Amino acid sequence: MKVAAIIITYNPDIKRLDENIKAVLPQIEQLFIVDNGSKNSCEIYEKYAFLENINIIKLKRNKGIAYALNRGCEAAEKFSEWVITLDQDSVVPNNLVEEYEKFINFPNIGIIAPRIKYKNGFIENDFYNSKHYIEVEKCISSANMVKLSSWKAVGGFDEKMFIDYVDFDFCASLREHGYKIILCENAVLDHELGKAEQVKKFPFSKSMVNIYNHSPLRTYYYTRNALYYIRKHKKSHAINVWVENKILIRWLGIKLIYERNRWQCMKSIIKGFVDGLKMEV
């Protein structure tokens, strides 16, 4: 089995990126670093451009995650049938490809994904069964192994979305085309999910809520893309519209109640809703 990997970079921490590269490189044939117009792109180029099996695709400006992933997949399909998609700060386990190989011959597989381990030690989808996998509706893009023929069949990642919901939208598109997404029990990814801050749910409560204080631009894209994603896939069975609306409302509620700069947040949310309703699906 020939496997390539794509790492999307944008102003990366070079030390963490280096850990990422050293972890995945022994497991694959070719690595493609797609740099989204980083301020430290020269440092990335000088460090990795002349190393064997590493290819750098330099984009002049940040055109978003979906655009970068598509450029990486286009380059990777010349060398391989499968591609692992990576964030710049996610370090894969040394058994990732070995575990994924057990499932590559399953019919209609679009994505093989890992379970996610966060900094606090919590592992999502903590399951054990005789099959050593479960089928899921969606997964984040980091450390997924995507079958490139399925990527091409659904038209790639939706470049309208820029950031946020790009991975969930791709999963929904795969499922609409009859592809399956499976989670591999024995592949566990060490993943950093932003810099969360915990605040009390109520003034005298012991319950805590995670907040991220995203920039106004990030809040805008999340709101806009969530609405676009729901509208785009609501007529299929690929998503549960009620659940997706509930997730969006909860996320917006936390931002408006607990995060700093709530007035700016409100303006970003309103703009996101307006533009999300205008986007052609």
Side-chain angles (χ1 to χ4, degrees):
M1 179 182 73
K2 292 184 177 180
V3 181
I6 302 166
I7 300 177
I8 309 300
T9 56
Y10 181 68
N11 302 331
D13 178 307
I14 297 298
K15 183 179 178 182
R16 182 72 175 182
L17 176 61
D18 203 49
E19 292 175 12
N20 189 347
I21 290 171
K22 287 177 179 177
V24 74
L25 199 58
Q27 304 183 55
I28 59 173
E29 277 69 42
Q30 296 286 330
L31 172 64
F32 297 88
I33 300 174
V34 184
D35 184 65
N36 246 337
S38 296
K39 293 177 181 177
N40 57 347
S41 61
C42 290
E43 190 177 355
I44 297 169
Y45 189 82
E46 289 171 4
K47 190 171 179 65
Y48 302 113
F50 305 103
L51 297 180
E52 188 177 0
N53 299 336
I54 296 181
N55 312 271
I56 297 181
I57 302 170
K58 292 178 71 174
L59 304 178
K60 292 182 179 180
R61 60 186 178 89
N62 187 356
K63 294 187 176 182
I65 295 292
Y67 181 89
L69 282 168
N70 282 336
R71 302 297 80 74
C73 287
E74 287 168 358
E77 67 176 341
K78 299 172 185 175
F79 296 91
S80 57
E81 302 167 49
W82 296 83
V83 66
I84 297 171
T85 58
L86 290 166
D87 295 339
Q88 62 194 21
D89 55 1
S90 297
V91 178
V92 303
N94 59 15
N95 69 332
L96 188 76
V97 174
E98 178 186 347
E99 290 298 327
Y100 284 172
E101 282 183 329
K102 298 173 183 177
F103 305 101
I104 60 170
N105 293 320
F106 279 27
N108 303 319
I109 291 294
I111 292 177
I112 306 172
R115 293 189 295 148
I116 305 298
K117 180 179 180 181
Y118 295 103
K119 292 180 76 174
N120 62 4
F122 174 73
I123 300 178
E124 283 188 339
N125 296 294
D126 197 5
F127 71 92
Y128 300 94
N129 61 39
S130 58
K131 297 178 180 178
H132 301 292
Y133 75 92
I134 56 171
E135 187 175 343
V136 295
E137 290 185 0
K138 60 186 177 181
C139 57
I140 65 171
S141 60
S142 194
N144 285 349
M145 193 164 77
V146 178
K147 193 165 188 178
L148 284 165
S149 59
S150 69
W151 162 79
K152 181 170 281 188
V154 303
F157 295 90
D158 190 337
E159 295 179 13
K160 293 180 187 177
M161 302 185 80
F162 194 83
I163 192 172
D164 283 319
Y165 274 86
V166 171
D167 41 13
F168 293 167
D169 173 75
F170 182 64
C171 289
S173 295
L174 285 173
R175 295 181 68 241
E176 286 169 352
H177 282 75
Y179 292 102
K180 295 178 181 179
I181 301 156
I182 65 169
L183 212 62
C184 179
E185 178 187 304
N186 294 320
V188 180
L189 174 69
D190 174 19
H191 185 66
E192 292 184 352
L193 185 62
K195 295 182 179 178
E197 175 186 342
Q198 287 197 323
V199 297
K200 287 186 177 181
K201 197 169 186 178
F202 304 106
F204 303 103
S205 172
K206 291 183 179 180
S207 300
M208 307 296 284
V209 176
N210 285 334
I211 62 172
Y212 294 91
N213 293 306
H214 291 127
S215 69
L217 187 64
R218 185 73 186 271
T219 299
Y220 162 77
Y221 275 121
Y222 187 98
T223 308
R224 188 197 73 164
N225 289 354
L227 193 59
Y228 169 67
Y229 161 78
I230 292 167
R231 291 177 57 236
K232 181 179 176 180
H233 299 289
K234 67 180 180 181
K235 293 182 180 179
S236 74
H237 296 291
I239 69 169
N240 184 318
V241 174
W242 186 86
V243 170
E244 295 296 342
N245 278 314
K246 184 179 177 182
I247 291 169
L248 176 59
I249 291 167
R250 183 180 184 277
W251 183 86
L252 295 175
I254 287 173
K255 295 191 77 64
L256 292 173
I257 295 169
Y258 299 105
E259 292 196 2
R260 296 187 290 273
N261 201 7
R262 288 188 285 273
W263 174 242
Q264 185 61 56
C265 184
M266 172 67 83
K267 289 195 290 185
S268 295
I269 289 169
I270 292 171
K271 181 172 171 52
F273 260 100
V274 171
D275 290 351
L277 289 171
K278 287 180 180 178
M279 289 177 75
E280 186 178 347
V281 298

